[in-house]
Amino acid sequence: MNKVVNNADDAVRDISDGAVLMLGGFGLCGIPENCIQALVKKGVKGLTCISNNAGVDDFGIGLMLKSRQVKKMISSYVGENAEFERQLLNGELEVELIPQGTLATRCMAAGYGMPAIFTPAGVGTEVAQGKEIRNFNGKDYLMEYAFDADFAIIKAWKGDTQGNLVFKATARNFNPLMAMAGKITIAEVEELLPAGALDPNEIHTPGIYVHRIFQGSAYEKRIEQLTIRKAHQ
Amino acid sequence: MNKVVNNADDAVRDISDGAVLMLGGFGLCGIPENCIQALVKKGVKGLTCISNNAGVDDFGIGLMLKSRQVKKMISSYVGENAEFERQLLNGELEVELIPQGTLATRCMAAGYGMPAIFTPAGVGTEVAQGKEIRNFNGKDYLMEYAFDADFAIIKAWKGDTQGNLVFKATARNFNPLMAMAGKITIAEVEELLPAGALDPNEIHTPGIYVHRIFQGSAYEKRIEQLTIRKAHQ
Amino acid sequence: MALSKEQIAQRIARELKDGYYVNLGIGIPTLVANYIPEGVHVVLQSENGLLGMGPFPFEGEEDPDLINAGKQTITTVQGSSFFDSAMSFGMIRAGKVDLTVLGAMEVSEKGDIANWKIPGKMVKGMGGAMDLVASAKNIIVAMMHTNPKGESKLLPACHLPLTGVGCVKKVVTDLGVLAITEGGFKLLERAPGVSVQEIQSKTAGKLIVEGAVPEMVY
Amino acid sequence: MALSKEQIAQRIARELKDGYYVNLGIGIPTLVANYIPEGVHVVLQSENGLLGMGPFPFEGEEDPDLINAGKQTITTVQGSSFFDSAMSFGMIRAGKVDLTVLGAMEVSEKGDIANWKIPGKMVKGMGGAMDLVASAKNIIVAMMHTNPKGESKLLPACHLPLTGVGCVKKVVTDLGVLAITEGGFKLLERAPGVSVQEIQSKTAGKLIVEGAVPEMVY
């Protein structure tokens, strides 16, 4: 039951060209930095990436975009990325934009074995095009399908050797949802602990969802929008 | 934003005859003991109770059954209760039995604003009668609707004045799901703390779901099946 | 005189009621947090997974793991809680958030809103806006009455791709406060010194003016 | 000689593989936990919200907040985790549990199972059984080969109301081990000293016997 692998290279060893990946994080917050670097190093191509955002030019998924590894992005917001824009406008990159709550719930649906969910997000907009609309109690909902991803690659704060995970603050975001949703789930953690070190009441992601885990290193944790107030405000 | 009420009587003050209630707990584990007693004392009648079980003859929802306050039970398992059986066989009580996972997920659906969910549980059985069946990827699923409950009455381990809740061990069960699902959610807790006392990373139920909270008293926490091993086994 | 962005935020803050859970969008809506009236306690939701958002951190106290939906570093207040994005949008979808304030490019007299896409321009994505407008019980739009070209943003029907349909309840602009009613935009208040006539001339959608329209007081 | 309930559990335990997540039903299945082979590490799931279920507590160490799905007091092992019932059945539905062992009143040669309701008798409810059988990847039924009246419980089709359809993969009874195959019950192993003929005579459903059927070794 020991799910520990040596490092990011080992964790992503069998991700091959054309794979569908989920990548946790919101902006640059809570992203699997080590695995992204390992994927860039590995040079795997033609990836479909399901991730709320696409990183920035020189960090996060932006690094994979720069090295032309991404065929398609499925995201809710892809701003802040000039290289992304260039590839998209040149037709080198496909993008599917979906509402953030729909993105989150389609991950959850996969993790919960629910093939589809209903949400009102996007009713009456171009997001609804081609989708089944259904009325419940006088309100229209779109039927949206669970994601089907080969790998979920996520980042947690603490984890144990059995794959149990705990997230910190808003670095939680999509990570526990994607953890549930991947056929193979790879978790990198800031602190890897022996089984039993985490309080079973406080575990966010039970180990059953996690297939590989390792302690990451050299986390940059870049801040995208440093916003501060003056001491005398 | 202080949601604290004085006691169980105060918390259930406006529950009236014919109300639809969700009651947390699994067997006698994690049940809202104080509120059940207050409901018995109040004598409110004709209730529909959504709860995984129906208590035992002299405890839990069994107390409400004994005083003939329950019109209908919606549960997954109602054994261990002679009075329940008597009322059911005499036609004094309606019962709707639904699979436990369906029960849990219909609570979650209500809390997540999803009008319906799909589950394979019950396909090909009498549970499927009259329900919409839908095939996804070669597998049949039943469409099951979100519950619509007037009040959710739940029990937590710790809570704060803003309604944030933490559950202990398997006393969690249906409690956080029902907490999300009630139009009005009433939480009784073993320990009521000031806002800020709970670690925001470790909260199971955010306060937004909880409308009333109070510190319960005199918890019996009865054990339904005391099972022990011998020291020398 | 037309309101400043700060004043628009200040006016919207008067809509807050004690005990409200509130989601504030990026831009003018974010400023609303600076004007919460005395005695009114609200909890701010950030859709990336936080209830109980506090002010920006002091320098050196920023935490890269603690950001808002605009990716800005923030702090928390007492009684806050973190959760995943599915629960976050679950509570939005279930109508647990009492008030949502967001910006818009266009609002129609039927309450439609367009705020995510301009054809021909690079699209950044809708983020959580479509979820919010489809589910929130009470949506107030904060925006300028006209665009930089001077064209009305309050229209009979939106020209831009929609974010949501028939969802906006109220619009607070630099010129006034307008409720979406069955007949169109009902003018509730004027900015100090701004005439009904000026508002009429800058409102392309149907404007309803009943009796004397009070002037806002600042 | 026919197997005891303990021996049925012991035989099923041999199906466990290292790293399995396993859900054990009430009755004989619960006993499987006592026979987990050396060197095989499995994690027991209890559908009321626990991964990492341990043995029953010593006297005085029982915790009313810590029970299994049979409402028995239990303990946890290192690396355990608690969660709510929706996540619990979510992981079951998503096929994360590798093996489910449960009892049955009847099993059909097509893998249908009936284990929750007898018409005319008080119905207690299906609990989590319908969810488990509808979703588990690998379901083993543990039961006696015949009912107290001596009638076969392995049938061409179930007489009792179904719990699930075409879901059982294997049946371990007091007389043998049978796989559900396209043609019917394929006899894999006999209990020590039990003849193929006896099994045939007590199996109402189609029985497939290919070559010599090995005897179990205890």
Side-chain angles (χ1 to χ4, degrees):
Chain A
M1 196 57 59
N2 188 320
K3 298 174 172 182
V4 180
V5 295
N6 291 320
N7 51 40
D9 293 331
D10 197 2
V12 305
R13 61 187 182 262
D14 54 354
I15 297 182
S16 50
D17 290 358
V20 177
L21 311 183
M22 288 177 163
L23 293 126
F26 184 95
L28 301 180
C29 181
I31 60 172
E33 296 185 16
N34 283 228
C35 283
I36 290 172
Q37 275 153 11
L39 286 168
V40 170
K41 187 170 143 199
K42 188 175 158 73
V44 59
K45 304 255 185 233
L47 301 171
T48 295
C49 294
I50 302 167
S51 189
N52 189 57
N53 311 91
V56 293
D57 274 320
D58 60 347
F59 206 58
I61 296 176
L63 297 172
M64 292 161 68
L65 287 163
K66 203 192 259 177
S67 51
R68 316 289 286 272
Q69 298 176 269
V70 182
K71 184 182 72 179
K72 182 174 179 178
M73 282 299 313
I74 300 176
S75 304
S76 87
Y77 190 83
V78 291
E80 279 88 75
N81 198 318
E83 174 62 16
F84 182 96
E85 191 166 344
R86 198 197 58 71
Q87 290 184 26
L88 184 63
L89 295 176
N90 283 355
E92 298 165 23
L93 180 69
E94 276 177 80
V95 65
E96 187 180 337
L97 292 170
I98 60 183
Q100 197 174 128
T102 303
L103 183 68
T105 314
R106 289 176 66 186
C107 291
M108 187 180 78
Y112 276 50
M114 301 191 298
I117 55 100
F118 293 103
T119 175
V123 167
T125 77
E126 63 181 56
V127 164
Q129 279 165 20
K131 288 180 185 158
E132 182 172 331
I133 295 172
R134 186 145 181 159
N135 191 287
F136 293 95
N137 306 314
K139 181 165 179 159
D140 283 338
Y141 294 80
L142 302 185
M143 191 168 83
E144 299 272 9
Y145 294 95
F147 281 124
D148 187 13
D150 300 315
F151 292 87
I153 302 173
I154 61 140
K155 154 83 186 341
W157 180 30
K158 298 179 195 171
D160 72 20
T161 53
Q162 294 201 14
N164 294 300
L165 304 177
V166 172
F167 303 91
K168 190 185 146 208
T170 56
R172 191 181 317 184
N173 55 63
F174 289 85
N175 282 301
L177 305 169
M178 292 179 171
M180 295 192 297
K183 283 195 201 72
I184 302 284
T185 292
I186 298 166
E188 56 176 88
V189 299
E190 290 182 55
E191 194 180 354
L192 184 62
L193 300 161
L198 296 170
D199 182 335
N201 283 307
E202 294 169 8
I203 287 168
H204 296 133
T205 296
I208 194 171
Y209 294 114
V210 176
H211 302 87
R212 301 171 195 166
I213 189 168
F214 67 95
Q215 180 161 324
S217 58
Y219 282 103
E220 281 194 46
K221 290 199 182 185
R222 284 203 206 165
I223 289 174
E224 215 164 330
Q225 303 280 347
L226 177 62
T227 321
I228 54 167
R229 64 182 147 144
K230 297 251 164 55
H232 297 287
Q233 195 169 337
Chain B
M1 196 55 59
N2 188 323
K3 297 174 175 184
V4 180
V5 296
N6 292 320
N7 51 39
D9 294 331
D10 197 3
V12 305
R13 62 188 182 262
D14 52 354
I15 297 182
S16 51
D17 290 357
V20 177
L21 311 183
M22 287 178 165
L23 292 126
F26 184 95
L28 301 180
C29 181
I31 60 172
E33 296 185 15
N34 283 227
C35 283
I36 289 173
Q37 277 155 12
L39 286 168
V40 171
K41 187 172 146 200
K42 187 175 160 74
V44 59
K45 304 256 186 233
L47 300 172
T48 294
C49 294
I50 302 167
S51 188
N52 189 56
N53 312 91
V56 294
D57 273 322
D58 60 347
F59 206 58
I61 295 177
L63 297 172
M64 292 161 69
L65 286 163
K66 203 192 259 177
S67 52
R68 317 289 285 272
Q69 296 176 269
V70 182
K71 185 182 72 178
K72 182 174 181 178
M73 282 299 312
I74 300 176
S75 303
S76 88
Y77 190 83
V78 293
E80 279 88 71
N81 198 317
E83 174 63 16
F84 181 96
E85 191 166 344
R86 197 197 59 69
Q87 290 184 26
L88 184 62
L89 294 174
N90 284 355
E92 297 165 23
L93 180 68
E94 275 178 82
V95 65
E96 187 180 338
L97 292 170
I98 59 182
Q100 197 173 126
T102 303
L103 183 68
T105 314
R106 289 176 65 187
C107 292
M108 187 181 77
Y112 275 51
M114 302 191 295
I117 55 100
F118 294 103
T119 175
V123 168
T125 77
E126 63 182 57
V127 164
Q129 279 166 20
K131 289 179 184 158
E132 181 172 332
I133 296 172
R134 184 144 183 160
N135 191 287
F136 294 94
N137 306 313
K139 183 166 179 160
D140 282 338
Y141 293 80
L142 301 184
M143 192 170 81
E144 299 273 9
Y145 294 94
F147 282 123
D148 187 14
D150 300 315
F151 292 87
I153 303 173
I154 62 140
K155 153 84 186 342
W157 180 29
K158 299 178 194 169
D160 73 19
T161 53
Q162 294 201 14
N164 294 301
L165 304 177
V166 172
F167 302 92
K168 188 185 147 211
T170 56
R172 192 181 316 183
N173 55 65
F174 289 84
N175 282 301
L177 305 169
M178 292 178 170
M180 294 192 297
K183 282 195 200 74
I184 301 284
T185 292
I186 298 166
E188 56 176 87
V189 298
E190 290 181 54
E191 195 181 351
L192 184 60
L193 300 161
L198 296 170
D199 182 334
N201 283 307
E202 294 169 8
I203 287 166
H204 297 133
T205 297
I208 193 170
Y209 294 114
V210 176
H211 302 88
R212 301 170 195 168
I213 188 167
F214 67 96
Q215 180 160 324
S217 58
Y219 281 104
E220 280 192 47
K221 290 201 185 184
R222 284 203 205 167
I223 290 175
E224 216 163 330
Q225 303 280 348
L226 177 61
T227 320
I228 54 166
R229 63 181 148 148
K230 299 250 162 55
H232 298 287
Q233 195 171 338
Chain C
M1 221 182 59
L3 302 184
S4 66
K5 289 180 178 182
E6 292 284 345
Q7 285 173 315
I8 294 175
Q10 204 172 344
R11 174 59 191 82
I12 289 173
R14 294 183 198 158
E15 303 282 319
L16 301 175
K17 292 206 175 72
D18 194 39
Y20 263 18
Y21 290 91
V22 181
N23 183 295
L24 301 175
I26 297 168
I28 302 175
T30 301
L31 303 174
V32 172
N34 300 332
Y35 299 101
I36 298 168
E38 194 101 2
V40 170
H41 183 227
V42 302
V43 176
L44 300 180
Q45 201 243 19
S46 189
E47 67 265 27
N48 54 323
L50 167 62
L51 275 166
M53 181 164 59
F56 297 131
F58 291 118
E59 193 166 357
E61 291 178 3
E62 66 276 7
D63 177 351
D65 289 326
L66 182 49
I67 63 170
N68 65 15
K71 290 160 198 152
Q72 297 169 314
T73 46
I74 46 153
T75 59
T76 59
V77 298
Q78 284 206 333
S80 64
S81 57
F82 297 111
F83 35 84
D84 65 49
S85 301
M87 180 179 264
S88 184
F89 284 95
M91 66 182 66
I92 287 167
R93 217 184 288 118
K96 303 289 177 186
V97 174
D98 299 291
L99 175 64
T100 292
V101 183
L102 72 177
M105 300 170 188
E106 296 177 350
V107 174
S108 86
E109 64 190 37
K110 294 194 166 19
D112 301 344
I113 176 171
N115 72 349
W116 77 286
K117 187 176 182 177
I118 300 174
K121 286 208 182 176
M122 168 68 189
V123 182
K124 298 190 173 209
M126 67 291 280
M130 282 194 183
D131 305 275
L132 281 159
V133 300
S135 298
K137 289 182 285 196
N138 188 8
I139 297 173
I140 299 180
V141 164
M143 65 177 190
M144 296 293 121
H145 212 94
T146 54
N147 67 21
K149 292 189 209 158
E151 297 160 343
S152 179
K153 296 171 73 173
L154 292 86
L155 305 170
C158 294
H159 305 308
L160 295 171
L162 293 181
T163 308
V165 176
C167 51
V168 177
K169 296 282 184 292
K170 218 174 248 185
V171 183
V172 180
T173 74
D174 52 331
L175 302 186
V177 179
L178 305 99
I180 308 289
T181 65
E182 243 175 70
F185 297 105
K186 183 172 173 185
L187 187 61
L188 301 180
E189 296 172 26
R190 296 174 292 124
V194 172
S195 68
V196 169
Q197 215 170 356
E198 181 181 350
I199 294 171
Q200 178 66 76
S201 73
K202 291 181 175 168
T203 304
K206 168 87 177 150
L207 187 76
I208 302 168
V209 181
E210 282 176 8
V213 177
E215 210 170 74
M216 288 178 225
V217 181
Y218 276 86
Chain D
M1 221 179 64
L3 302 184
S4 66
K5 289 182 178 180
E6 292 285 344
Q7 285 174 314
I8 294 175
Q10 204 172 343
R11 174 60 191 80
I12 290 173
R14 294 183 199 157
E15 304 283 319
L16 302 176
K17 293 204 176 75
D18 194 40
Y20 264 18
Y21 289 92
V22 181
N23 183 293
L24 301 175
I26 297 168
I28 302 175
T30 301
L31 303 173
V32 172
N34 300 330
Y35 299 100
I36 297 169
E38 194 100 1
V40 171
H41 183 229
V42 302
V43 175
L44 301 180
Q45 200 244 22
S46 190
E47 68 265 27
N48 55 321
L50 166 62
L51 275 167
M53 180 164 59
F56 298 131
F58 291 118
E59 194 166 356
E61 291 179 3
E62 67 276 4
D63 177 351
D65 290 327
L66 181 49
I67 63 171
N68 66 16
K71 290 157 198 158
Q72 298 169 313
T73 45
I74 46 152
T75 59
T76 58
V77 297
Q78 284 205 335
S80 65
S81 57
F82 298 111
F83 36 85
D84 65 49
S85 301
M87 180 180 266
S88 184
F89 284 95
M91 65 182 68
I92 288 167
R93 218 184 289 118
K96 303 290 177 185
V97 175
D98 299 291
L99 175 64
T100 293
V101 183
L102 74 175
M105 300 170 189
E106 295 176 351
V107 174
S108 85
E109 63 189 38
K110 294 193 166 19
D112 300 346
I113 178 171
N115 72 349
W116 78 284
K117 186 174 183 178
I118 301 175
K121 285 206 181 177
M122 168 67 189
V123 183
K124 298 189 172 207
M126 67 291 280
M130 282 193 183
D131 306 274
L132 281 160
V133 301
S135 297
K137 287 181 286 195
N138 188 9
I139 297 174
I140 299 179
V141 164
M143 67 176 187
M144 296 293 120
H145 212 92
T146 55
N147 68 21
K149 291 187 205 158
E151 297 161 344
S152 179
K153 295 170 74 173
L154 291 87
L155 305 170
C158 294
H159 304 310
L160 296 171
L162 294 180
T163 307
V165 175
C167 51
V168 177
K169 294 283 184 290
K170 217 175 250 186
V171 183
V172 179
T173 75
D174 51 334
L175 302 186
V177 179
L178 306 97
I180 309 286
T181 65
E182 243 177 68
F185 297 106
K186 182 172 174 184
L187 187 61
L188 301 179
E189 296 173 26
R190 295 172 294 126
V194 172
S195 68
V196 169
Q197 217 171 357
E198 181 182 348
I199 295 171
Q200 177 66 76
S201 73
K202 291 180 174 168
T203 304
K206 168 86 176 153
L207 187 76
I208 301 167
V209 181
E210 282 177 6
V213 178
E215 209 169 75
M216 289 177 223
V217 181
Y218 276 87

